[in-house]
Amino acid sequence: PRRSLRDDGVALVDGKPFFPIGLYGVVPHEFNDFNMDKAVADLKAAGFNFLHSYTNGRKDDFMEAVAKHGLLSWTYAFWAHHGDKWLAEKARTDRTVLAWYTGDDTSRYVKPTELLDRHEATHMLDGNRLSCQADVTGGDRIKSLYQDYVTFSDVFLPELYHVYNENPAGDIGCVAYVIRDMEKAKDDIARHNDGRPRALWPILQFFDGNLWHRFPSVAELYGMSFAALIHGGNGITWFHYGGEKDLSRKRRYSGVFRTPEDWAAMTNLTTRIAALSPVLLERTPKQPAVPEVIEGDRTDKCGQPSVSVLVKEHGGAAYVFAVNSSPKRVKAKIFVSVPDGEGSVAWEKRRVKVARGAFEDEFDGYGVHVYRFGL
């Protein structure tokens, strides 16, 4: 199997574009009857196509279930530069592996030169798979935490965990911080790359536990996730699979199966992103001017425009992905290069009218809209 990156960072699986929709920490739990095959089948039905397992990633039941259901995985390769026998003798022939996971919270535990060793060792053992590493970006710093590591993995998974214990009704800035961190990572790649393609597969928060004392709201989940896609995500992942946190059983985090309502929110989101993945895989055309906010906050907590968009073209139509990074309601004028007329709004059973290259719409706090216009 050949896994690579297109020149714009899109993943290629045997030469075909692939949009990863991933989840961390898939392990046996009560809600999957402690059955890995059931766990993977349920996740596939929800739109996931890319899985990671902390404790079971190297076990046959996980690898076999992922293969059986036609999904892909990212799998530990922290020890490749120390003669990892499992990787060398077994895993490198496993067709389910999209990327070798060479660093987690990288800057806390691994020096840049060590990540380089892992990156080079995985490519020597298996030149047909990607390497990836995850870390916070340090987007609020002058020098980010990613900057010194850019060229030592093919893929960066920025950890975007910005919901702590603030009042959900307050301006906690979670969507604004996602945009800030994604833009910082993109800038790091642009400024410190070696000319090779690099990808961003952001990790979004849908958990509480440990230092995070509040679970994200549905509006925050949607806003953060679409902000990450609009601002450069070549794929998307979430932390964490889990269930209800239970310190007596050493479960420090909750996850997407915390309640039936949480799982419903997650699956509503992932099935929608999966349906839109052919659009997201298209090359990004020239983008329109920044939307003009007519009513409400013009900027978010980080001083960025409160409404941001991504335009893609697919199948004779233009798609406009839009998010409000302010927690307050806004009205915006959005610019788009399509003929005058009407366009549909996905999932909302309504239409908007384009006149002279623009249309107006309202957004709830952290609101998301996806529009479709004929070209």
Side-chain angles (χ1 to χ4, degrees):
R2 175 67 177 170
R3 299 13 177 154
S4 58
L5 294 178
R6 203 166 67 187
D7 59 0
D8 58 355
V10 166
L12 299 174
V13 175
D14 294 331
K16 297 179 180 180
F18 175 78
F19 194 85
I21 302 173
L23 188 63
Y24 266 83
V26 180
V27 296
H29 263 285
E30 294 89 346
F31 48 79
N32 58 38
D33 300 330
F34 295 97
N35 183 295
M36 190 61 74
D37 185 77
K38 182 180 186 303
V40 174
D42 290 346
L43 292 170
K44 180 179 180 179
F48 291 98
N49 58 19
F50 187 46
L51 304 179
H52 172 80
S53 180
Y54 285 106
T55 57
N56 287 67
R58 292 184 165 220
K59 294 182 179 179
D60 289 344
D61 62 343
F62 176 76
M63 298 169 69
E64 289 170 0
V66 171
K68 173 183 174 181
H69 295 286
L71 279 66
L72 297 176
S73 68
W74 72 108
T75 301
Y76 282 122
F78 288 7
W79 311 278
H81 58 313
H82 292 303
D84 187 333
K85 185 176 180 180
W86 176 83
L87 193 158
E89 295 184 0
K90 182 176 182 180
R92 65 176 178 164
T93 63
D94 180 4
R95 295 188 62 86
T96 70
V97 177
L98 175 62
W100 298 116
Y101 197 37
T102 56
D104 187 283
D105 297 332
T106 308
S107 62
R108 292 180 61 187
Y109 304 110
V110 181
K111 295 179 180 179
T113 52
E114 185 176 1
L115 189 68
L116 173 61
D117 289 342
R118 296 179 182 184
H119 173 66
E120 291 184 337
T122 56
H123 280 288
M124 288 178 66
L125 284 169
D126 178 9
N128 291 318
R129 255 61 81 91
L130 303 167
S131 68
C132 65
Q133 60 105 355
D135 201 359
V136 295
T137 64
D140 56 343
R141 303 176 179 215
I142 294 174
K143 179 181 177 180
S144 79
L145 296 174
Y146 177 46
Q147 180 175 313
D148 290 339
Y149 295 84
V150 169
T151 59
F152 302 151
S153 68
D154 300 307
V155 181
F156 179 49
L157 291 89
E159 300 171 9
L160 307 175
Y161 309 154
H162 294 305
V163 175
Y164 289 88
N165 60 348
E166 295 91 338
N167 184 341
D171 184 5
I172 69 170
C174 59
V175 179
Y177 294 144
V178 165
I179 294 172
R180 177 201 67 190
D181 289 358
M182 289 296 294
E183 290 296 325
K184 189 73 169 181
K186 284 166 57 181
D187 183 66
D188 284 338
I189 291 172
R191 292 164 59 91
H192 304 287
N193 203 4
D194 55 6
R196 299 178 182 178
R198 298 281 185 263
L200 295 174
W201 298 341
I203 318 169
L204 281 303
Q205 179 185 354
F206 204 44
F207 69 90
D208 62 359
N210 200 10
L211 300 176
W212 292 266
H213 303 301
R214 181 170 71 77
F215 206 84
S217 68
V218 175
E220 290 164 344
L221 169 68
Y222 265 75
M224 291 189 296
S225 299
F226 273 91
L229 295 175
I230 289 167
H231 289 270
N234 305 112
I236 190 166
T237 69
W238 290 268
F239 187 94
H240 149 282
Y241 183 63
E244 188 72 36
K245 61 184 176 182
D246 183 352
L247 297 180
S248 68
R249 302 183 68 174
K250 297 183 180 180
R251 295 178 183 171
R252 293 187 300 159
Y253 300 98
S254 62
V256 302
F257 279 97
R258 186 184 66 152
T259 67
E261 293 76 17
D262 295 328
W263 176 235
M266 186 83 261
T267 56
N268 285 342
L269 176 59
T270 51
T271 53
R272 290 174 177 183
I273 293 175
L276 289 166
S277 60
V279 180
L280 292 165
L281 288 169
E282 296 284 4
R283 292 184 178 273
T284 302
K286 183 180 179 181
Q287 295 296 289
V290 174
E292 175 187 341
V293 175
I294 301 169
E295 298 175 10
D297 294 335
R298 288 181 169 80
T299 58
D300 61 25
K301 194 167 186 176
C302 295
Q304 304 155 148
S306 57
V307 177
S308 53
V309 302
L310 171 68
V311 177
K312 292 277 193 173
E313 297 176 359
H314 176 76
Y319 291 78
V320 180
F321 298 78
V323 65
N324 172 21
S325 51
S326 166
K328 300 177 183 178
R329 189 173 183 85
V330 302
K331 183 177 182 180
K333 183 178 184 178
I334 299 173
F335 304 98
V336 60
S337 297
V338 300
D340 286 358
E342 290 189 339
S344 60
V345 188
W347 322 306
E348 298 184 42
K349 296 181 180 179
R350 65 184 180 93
R351 301 179 72 81
V352 293
K353 186 175 182 179
V354 176
R356 291 175 289 185
F359 66 96
E360 296 180 3
D361 204 2
E362 296 183 353
F363 294 76
D364 291 335
Y366 304 141
V368 171
H369 298 308
V370 177
Y371 309 92
R372 182 185 184 279
F373 303 96
L375 291 173

